[in-house]
């Protein structure tokens, strides 16, 4: 059973292949906005359109496969940017017709969680899912992932990117803010917004972006990072204390942040929970996570599927 997975929800056009045992291919091409700009959905979609055949070719070649060796197709059909989703779903439809095989609709957020569980062997973790567009704290119960807390406005990765843009730094801005923050120990007071179990990052970015005349970049980066991550870890800690889960699993592109790993690790230890992060390759958006999740949920396969731009993580029925 070979499942080909397609990821196109935002900046990344990724194609991966998973067989019965493992992930056997993971190729991608990432859209880079023009200098000083964020993701422009139409342009990102244009990028995906241009590169998808080449990425497909590379993914098949990685395991010396032909299209005909594919048994089922999986595609992330939501949540995400509609023009981008249409590119992935379009390719899935094309291949489905050509090869006469079915398509498994995969929720992008569930795929981030499933691949991270697989890679780390976490069984029933509290999940901290942090990426460009999404920020959610969840765990699994009765056939669905339940959301304890989430962002009320922008994803935490997006917040890092926006602050970086205000400093003239290109996308992705997250790693650049992290590097700058490593050079500073100074803390500038910034808005800390936790509402119940939910988070808000846009006020924090706006205020941090206004500090450029008074403060050095590294101090702004450090203060922003400490504030944003503390907010996130506070809510996660409350969820961990409440659920008494024995594992904490970090996933999504922002899982590459070293300071977040450090803060999560310490917090988990205080609650006697083990802390897990997948390999870097599976943190940010990738096709392999869609292929693996598609294989896991292959009974959901259909002949025709549509995009679901606002699909929520807790709407996806899981196997158990
Ligand atoms: P994803 O949407 O899951 O592919 O994640 C992409 C997001 O992760 C972008 O917003 C990046 O800026 C962010 N990101 C990647 N590396 C880091 C890092 N080291 N620190 C903070 N954010 C990061
Ligand atoms: Mg993502």
């Amino acid at each position: 059973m070979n499942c080909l997975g397609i990821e196109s929800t935002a900046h990344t056009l990724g194609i991966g292949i998973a067989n019965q045992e493992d992930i056997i291919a993971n190729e991608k091409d990432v859209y880079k906005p023009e200098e000083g700009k964020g993701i422009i959905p139409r342009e990102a979609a244009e990028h995906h359109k241009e590169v998808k055949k080449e990425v497909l070719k590379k993914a098949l070649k990685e395991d010396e496969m032909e299209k005909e060796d594919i048994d089922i197709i999986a595609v992330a059909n939501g949540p995400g940017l509609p023009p981008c989703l249409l590119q992935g779903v379009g390719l899935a439809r094309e291949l489905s017709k050509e090869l006469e095989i079915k398509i498994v609709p995969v929720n992008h957020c569930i795929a981030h969680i499933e691949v991270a569980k697989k890679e780390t062997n976490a069984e029933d973790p509290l999940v901290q899912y942090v990426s460009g567009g999404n920020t959610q704290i969840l765990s699994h119960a009765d056939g669905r992932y339940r959301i304890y807390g989430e962002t009320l406005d922008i994803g935490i990765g997006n917040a890092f990117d926006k602050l970086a843009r205000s400093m003239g730094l290109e996308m992705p801005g997250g790693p650049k803010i992290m590097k700058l923050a490593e050079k500073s120990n100074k803390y500038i007071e910034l808005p800390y917004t936790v509402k119940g179990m939910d988070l808000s990052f846009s006020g924090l970015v706006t205020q941090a972006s206004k500090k450029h005349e008074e403060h050095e970049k590294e101090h702004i980066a450090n203060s922003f990072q400490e504030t944003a991550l503390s907010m996130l870890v506070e809510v996660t800690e409350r969820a961990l204390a409440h659920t008494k889960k024995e594992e904490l699993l970090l996933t999504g592109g922002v899982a590459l942040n070293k300071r977040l790993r450090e803060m999560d690790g310490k917090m988990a230890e205080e609650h006697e929970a083990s802390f897990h992060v997948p390999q870097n390759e599976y943190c940010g958006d990738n096709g392999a996570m869609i292929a693996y999740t598609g294989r896991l949920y292959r009974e959901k396969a259909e002949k025709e599927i549509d995009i679901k731009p606002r699909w929520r993580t807790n709407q996806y029925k899981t196997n158990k």
Side-chain angles (χ1 to χ4, degrees), residues 7 9 11 108 112 129 131-132 134 252-253 284-285 289:
E7 160 61 35
T9 63
H11 42 70
H108 173 88
H112 271 292
Y129 164 43
S131 67
N134 298 286
D285 291 354
M289 72 182 189

Side-chain angles (χ1 to χ4, degrees), residues 71-228:
D71 302 295
I72 200 161
I73 299 162
V75 62
N77 58 325
L81 306 168
C84 298
L85 292 171
L86 283 170
Q87 288 303 323
V89 169
L91 177 61
R93 283 177 183 150
E94 240 177 75
L95 290 170
S96 154
K97 282 217 180 81
E98 183 186 338
L99 304 169
E100 295 178 350
I101 54 181
K102 286 188 177 175
I103 308 173
V104 190
V106 170
N107 178 296
H108 173 88
C109 311
I110 296 283
H112 271 292
I113 300 171
E114 295 293 2
V115 80
K117 278 173 75 173
K118 171 194 177 292
E119 288 300 306
T120 62
N121 294 317
E123 280 175 13
D124 179 26
L126 180 76
V127 181
Q128 191 182 50
Y129 164 43
V130 283
S131 67
N134 298 286
T135 303
Q136 296 181 330
I137 319 299
L138 342 83
S139 79
H140 187 265
D142 301 330
R144 285 172 204 269
Y145 280 91
R146 314 281 165 169
I147 303 169
Y148 294 106
E150 63 187 316
T151 179
L152 298 170
D153 44 44
I154 55 174
I156 187 166
N158 204 322
F160 271 86
D161 295 335
K162 280 192 167 177
L163 179 66
R165 261 198 319 278
S166 78
M167 296 180 175
L169 302 168
E170 272 177 44
M171 288 273 278
K176 292 165 191 135
I177 296 292
M178 178 181 81
K179 280 267 169 323
L180 274 173
E182 281 166 11
K183 296 186 201 157
S184 165
N185 277 319
K186 189 170 159 182
Y187 184 76
I188 308 159
E189 190 86 19
L190 288 171
Y192 183 102
T193 319
V194 173
K195 297 181 181 174
M197 288 294 281
D198 293 325
L199 304 154
S200 162
F201 296 105
S202 60
L204 168 61
V205 178
T206 308
Q207 289 308 316
S209 307
K210 283 184 186 161
K211 302 283 182 192
H212 293 317
E213 287 188 1
E214 298 160 67
H215 300 279
E216 300 291 330
K217 276 182 190 168
E218 56 259 39
H219 300 320
I220 301 173
N222 184 54
S223 309
F224 164 84
Q225 180 172 270
E226 287 302 302
T227 308

